[in-house]
Amino acid sequence: MPYGAHESVTVDSTAGGVALTAATIIPFNRAVLTLEDAAIRYTVDGTAPTTTVGHLAQPGDVITLAGNDELTRFRAIRQGGVSGTIMASYGTGGS
């Protein structure tokens, strides 16, 4: 997958979850996310994650998103009392 952009996203306790930056992901259909420093919960269907709803990811985990729907519907919230950081790389690729 050729990469075309990247960003750092802070995952805090924002109600409804933190999304990827819309202006950054527009031309892309793939993403690789690495969780840097604190546990999070995330969803890829637009459901609001909570501390008990969503997939649990720990520091060092890699999350792969495929398709524009997953990129735009991704939401994350911190799992505990510490905000996490996601490093995201975006690109294009086949289905």
Side-chain angles (χ1 to χ4, degrees), residues 60-81:
D61 286 354
V62 176
I63 302 165
T64 303
L65 303 177
N68 189 265
D69 282 347
E70 285 192 1
L71 270 70
T72 58
R73 293 179 182 171
F74 176 87
R75 298 290 182 275
I77 193 167
R78 70 184 188 197
Q79 171 64 24

Side-chain angles (χ1 to χ4, degrees), residues 9-63:
V9 178
T10 299
V11 178
D12 58 18
S13 60
T14 299
V18 174
L20 302 173
T21 305
T24 304
I25 64 174
I26 286 173
F28 304 109
N29 65 0
R30 299 277 188 246
V32 174
L33 315 175
T34 55
L35 185 55
E36 299 294 307
D37 49 11
I40 66 168
R41 290 232 178 233
Y42 71 94
T43 61
V44 295
D45 63 358
T47 300
T50 68
T51 56
T52 58
V53 172
H55 299 281
L56 178 63
Q58 300 288 344
D61 286 354
V62 176
I63 302 165

